Amino acid sequence: MRTRVFHTFVAVALAVVAGLCFGASKPALAQEKLVTIGTGAITGVYYPAGGAICRLLNRGRKEHGIRCFVESTGGSIYNIYALRDGELAFGIVQSDWQYNAYKGEGVFDDGPPFENLRSVFSLHSEMFTVAARAGSGIKHFADLKGKRVNIGNPGSGMRAIMQELMEALGWSKSNFSEVVELKPTDAAKALCDGKIDAMVFAAGHPNGLIREITTGCGATLVPVQGGYVDTLLEKYPYYARTAIPGGMYGGNSQNVPTFGVKATLVTTSKVSEDVVYELVKSVFENFDDFKTLHFVFATLDKERMVSAGLTAPLHEGALRYYKELGLIRSEEHTSELQSRQ
């Protein structure tokens, strides 16, 4: 209860700040439509991504009457449950957890499929990232065995991916000398303080937190590749091989092989068609501006954003705009829906 009260307080405060920043009209809060985008840790990419979307949507709130604000949350899985419970209007989630939630599989197999889940668009690619403490002796993912490892905070997408990797290797928590479950910012501090040997992270690159630990305390990035990854990619088609470019971070001169997913913006069928339409329109009509609001957006492509990593059906509001823009034809959408059933 206290958490919800705190979130409500923060939401109203952010909404007021947004009004000052974006110079919109000043109708009473009760007369406006308030929408929340659930994101992730403040130091990650989801939070500024949500802020960028809200910024563009709030520019036009004098016309459409929608006030948007962001909420820092525990990440993908938290956002999905909050959407299901009606506590959020939108959430940024990894494409794998969108898939699992919509299908009622994986960590969501304890309940019915989330059939009301709806896609809005996809964002940047994310890479599963393992960072090791300088002097830890960790050169490969298998070297984590017997070490002190942060496996990610409960409810986060990085935690769920780590669990799948552990299953592919036949590992359990007992394979580590110590297991911690910290959020990324706390894990980074613990790594640099020598309290843990490695941490996992899932994010777009370049990433401020990874830059901080590689520059500040000499952390190194660990390759994630091998038969266990092959098994995972064969089982889950929403994963894809990728690499963190060499030279992006201090002390990490070579490409670091790994795999990744897509960050996706989702909502539910209960959210107004007009609200979703206006959100999508505000982003796509200011697309060049949007791509400059965060460096991981630089390579975004409209055509891929309406399809890549999206398992749940498109929300009717998003679909209406994409048809108007010519990005989707009716027969294409009908075929996609049939293939998901």
Side-chain angles (χ1 to χ4, degrees), residues 10-278:
V10 172
V12 172
L14 287 173
V16 171
V17 171
L20 294 174
C21 292
F22 304 126
S25 61
K26 302 178 181 179
L29 280 175
Q31 296 176 337
E32 293 186 319
K33 303 182 185 73
L34 300 179
V35 297
T36 311
I37 300 178
T39 57
I42 292 175
T43 54
V45 179
Y46 282 14
Y47 187 77
I53 294 168
C54 277
R55 182 182 304 179
L56 294 178
L57 182 58
N58 285 338
R59 282 181 184 177
R61 79 173 176 269
K62 183 176 181 180
E63 291 73 35
H64 51 58
I66 303 167
R67 185 189 293 265
C68 177
F69 52 88
V70 295
E71 181 175 325
S72 175
T73 71
S76 296
I77 296 174
Y78 177 95
N79 292 341
I80 288 170
Y81 280 121
L83 283 166
R84 190 194 292 268
D85 294 340
E87 296 177 2
L88 294 172
F90 297 90
I92 300 178
V93 307
Q94 291 178 184
S95 56
D96 49 343
W97 305 122
Q98 179 191 150
Y99 175 94
N100 282 315
Y102 184 69
K103 299 285 188 180
E105 298 176 359
V107 296
F108 301 104
D109 65 0
D110 58 345
F114 190 1
E115 295 180 349
N116 290 332
L117 186 65
R118 294 292 181 267
S119 298
V120 181
F121 49 70
S122 65
L123 290 162
H124 56 283
S125 295
E126 297 190 334
M127 303 177 196
F128 183 71
T129 307
V130 180
R133 177 180 56 81
S136 66
I138 299 171
K139 303 296 182 183
H140 306 282
F141 188 82
D143 296 335
L144 296 181
K145 198 171 184 179
K147 302 292 186 178
R148 301 169 299 167
V149 181
N150 179 74
I151 63 173
N153 57 293
S156 67
M158 71 190 81
R159 168 65 172 273
I161 294 176
M162 182 63 173
Q163 288 177 326
E164 289 189 340
L165 279 171
M166 288 167 60
E167 289 174 8
L169 281 163
W171 289 3
S172 67
K173 290 182 180 180
S174 64
N175 288 107
F176 306 109
S177 63
E178 183 181 348
V179 171
V180 293
E181 303 173 326
L182 302 173
K183 290 185 177 181
T185 49
D186 296 328
K189 186 176 187 304
L191 187 76
C192 287
D193 288 345
K195 295 179 179 178
I196 60 174
D197 300 310
M199 61 176 283
V200 302
F201 196 41
H205 289 278
N207 180 272
L209 187 65
I210 299 300
R211 179 174 286 117
E212 179 182 321
I213 62 175
T214 52
T215 302
C217 58
T220 57
L221 302 183
V222 179
V224 185
Q225 60 182 344
Y228 58 96
V229 174
D230 296 340
T231 299
L232 207 62
L233 268 60
E234 185 175 332
K235 185 176 181 180
Y236 302 112
Y238 41 76
Y239 287 135
R241 287 183 177 82
T242 186
I244 301 168
M248 182 171 283
Y249 302 108
N252 293 267
S253 59
Q254 302 298 314
N255 289 350
V256 181
T258 185
F259 66 101
V261 293
K262 279 281 188 181
T264 66
L265 182 67
V266 295
T267 184
T268 74
S269 59
K270 295 180 180 179
V271 174
S272 162
E273 180 178 327
D274 289 339
V275 167
V276 178
Y277 176 89
E278 292 294 343

Side-chain angles (χ1 to χ4, degrees), residues 255 284 297:
N255 289 350
F284 279 66
F297 297 161

